[in-house]
Amino acid sequence: MQQQYEVPLKMKQTSRWKLSLVIQDIKRDRWLYLLLIPGILYFLLFKYVPMWGLVMAFQDYKPHLGFIDSPWVGMKHFARFFTEPQFWNLFRNTLLLAVYNLVFFFPLPIILALMLNEVRKEMFKRFVQTFLYLPHFVSWVVAVGIFYVLLTTEGGIVNEIIAKMGMERVPFLLSEDWFRTMILSQSIWKEAGWGMIIFLAALSGVDVQQYEAARMDGAGRWRQLWHITLPAIRSTIVILFILRLGSFLDTGFEHIFLMLNSMNREVGEVFDTYVYVKGLTQAQYSYSAAVGLFKSLVGLVLVLGANWLAKKTGEEGVY
């Protein structure tokens, strides 16, 4: 009988001891925990609380009735979306822009970081780094305005040069053929330098002695790059690639919306602009919520699949 009582007593003492350790840690690091509060509040207020609005996708939502009293319609809005004549055009436009960003935009920050890592003059390196990431702080309104001034047929610098060369002016801003090229080039100009910083930070953690040992063994720059540099940042590349897939269909509403006009809408209309038109301009809240939920679910499936594949190949993944 005494042994039966001793086991629960030891468990209670162990749990109390662990609890006291946790309390001591919290007291010791209380200021660090206080620094977490703004971040926690941000995610609670702007990420988790708005998820309650997803119930609209399964309701015929009426603002005066609210979430509780609005009638439930199940999968009605999803069925309507998948049978819309515009669905396949929207899906094609969004998918093409997403694939272009993944194929051409994602590798560019890695290439820039690798090139800049080979520069030995610190002053020049810092100047190039600043020059490349500075456009990140320019808003999309300003960025699109700059391209408009450069490419417009009415006095645009590029078209003026083309005209001086005796060729016909090119309507870049109105052409369906040039739309995706302009979107991709603007994204690269604005964000490639900012993404480069992450990879430069990863490269700064590579042990310099590995390069010295490789040079002593007769390895050139390319062999050092292939056998030391790339393996050192491989985990960073995999994690960022997985996170990128989470926003695979997120082509950027503001950017696309500013570039859209009546002449290129056929190739420029994507899920983000479609949600804006249906949800805010036409007040179809439940239908636009269903479209947004579909896009988010696609991103979730891609993240889970990519993370599973990364773990199968020996990488850590994001969880």
Side-chain angles (χ1 to χ4, degrees):
M1 290 290 292
Q2 187 176 358
Q3 290 181 348
Q4 292 178 358
Y5 286 109
E6 284 180 356
V7 174
L9 183 62
K10 288 181 180 179
M11 292 177 64
K12 287 182 180 178
Q13 290 175 348
T14 304
S15 62
R16 287 175 183 173
W17 176 70
K18 289 181 178 179
L19 181 61
S20 66
L21 285 178
V22 171
I23 293 172
Q24 288 176 12
D25 289 341
I26 292 174
K27 286 181 179 179
R28 186 184 67 241
D29 302 324
R30 59 187 179 277
W31 299 115
L32 292 176
Y33 286 111
L34 282 174
L35 291 174
L36 288 174
I37 293 176
I40 293 171
L41 289 176
Y42 168 78
F43 278 97
L44 285 175
L45 294 176
F46 297 103
K47 301 296 182 181
Y48 289 99
V49 173
M51 289 178 69
W52 173 250
L54 291 176
V55 298
M56 282 195 300
F58 306 97
Q59 293 178 323
D60 189 6
Y61 177 74
K62 305 294 182 185
H64 64 280
L65 295 176
F67 294 124
I68 297 175
D69 296 326
S70 294
W72 293 86
V73 295
M75 305 296 289
K76 170 187 171 183
H77 300 298
F78 293 95
R80 174 192 165 188
F81 176 54
F82 295 137
T83 55
E84 280 277 358
Q86 287 180 282
F87 173 75
W88 289 111
N89 186 49
L90 290 169
F91 187 76
R92 183 182 69 251
N93 293 342
T94 307
L95 187 65
L96 282 173
L97 285 174
V99 170
Y100 287 169
N101 277 321
L102 200 63
V103 173
F104 297 106
F105 174 72
F106 180 77
L108 197 58
I110 304 172
I111 296 170
L112 289 173
L114 293 173
M115 292 173 65
L116 204 58
N117 189 58
E118 295 296 321
V119 177
R120 294 293 173 257
K121 293 188 176 181
E122 284 296 322
M123 288 294 293
F124 179 74
K125 184 176 181 179
R126 290 177 183 176
F127 170 77
V128 173
Q129 184 176 336
T130 304
F131 180 78
L132 289 174
Y133 78 69
L134 203 59
H136 169 77
F137 300 99
V138 177
S139 70
W140 274 119
V141 176
V142 176
V144 172
I146 292 171
F147 273 78
Y148 179 84
V149 171
L150 291 173
L151 301 175
T152 181
T153 53
E154 302 297 328
I157 298 173
V158 175
N159 271 305
E160 287 296 324
I161 294 172
I162 292 173
K164 288 284 178 67
M165 294 172 65
M167 294 183 287
E168 190 177 348
R169 296 174 184 266
V170 181
F172 294 103
L173 301 173
L174 303 177
S175 173
E176 293 183 352
D177 298 330
W178 282 97
F179 180 80
R180 296 188 182 103
T181 304
M182 286 194 300
I183 293 294
L184 181 62
S185 60
Q186 289 166 5
S187 297
I188 290 173
W189 172 76
K190 189 174 183 298
E191 300 296 342
W194 184 254
M196 174 193 66
I197 295 176
I198 300 174
F199 297 104
L200 282 175
L203 288 170
S204 65
V206 181
D207 189 359
V208 181
Q209 293 180 354
Q210 295 185 32
Y211 292 110
E212 293 175 355
R215 282 195 293 269
M216 291 178 65
D217 290 337
R221 285 290 180 89
W222 284 108
R223 284 192 174 275
Q224 293 176 36
L225 175 68
W226 186 257
H227 294 288
I228 299 175
T229 308
L230 285 177
I233 63 172
R234 185 175 58 193
S235 59
T236 305
I237 294 172
V238 170
I239 290 173
L240 290 178
F241 180 76
I242 294 171
L243 295 176
R244 183 76 180 181
L245 288 178
S247 56
F248 182 68
L249 295 182
D250 187 7
T251 52
F253 162 74
E254 185 181 4
H255 183 196
I256 303 294
F257 184 74
L258 289 169
M259 291 296 296
L260 274 181
N261 54 60
S262 58
M263 301 299 291
N264 60 24
R265 188 170 294 275
E266 187 66 23
V267 298
E269 191 82 64
V270 294
F271 288 142
D272 292 323
T273 56
Y274 186 70
V275 167
Y276 167 78
V277 171
K278 293 296 181 180
L280 293 181
T281 64
Q282 299 181 12
Q284 299 182 32
Y285 304 115
S286 294
Y287 179 65
S288 60
V291 178
L293 181 57
F294 163 74
K295 193 182 74 169
S296 300
L297 287 175
V298 171
L300 176 63
V301 171
L302 289 173
V303 166
L304 294 176
N307 192 75
W308 174 84
L309 188 61
K311 287 193 171 184
K312 284 291 183 181
T313 56
E315 298 296 332
E316 292 184 5
V318 294
Y319 64 88

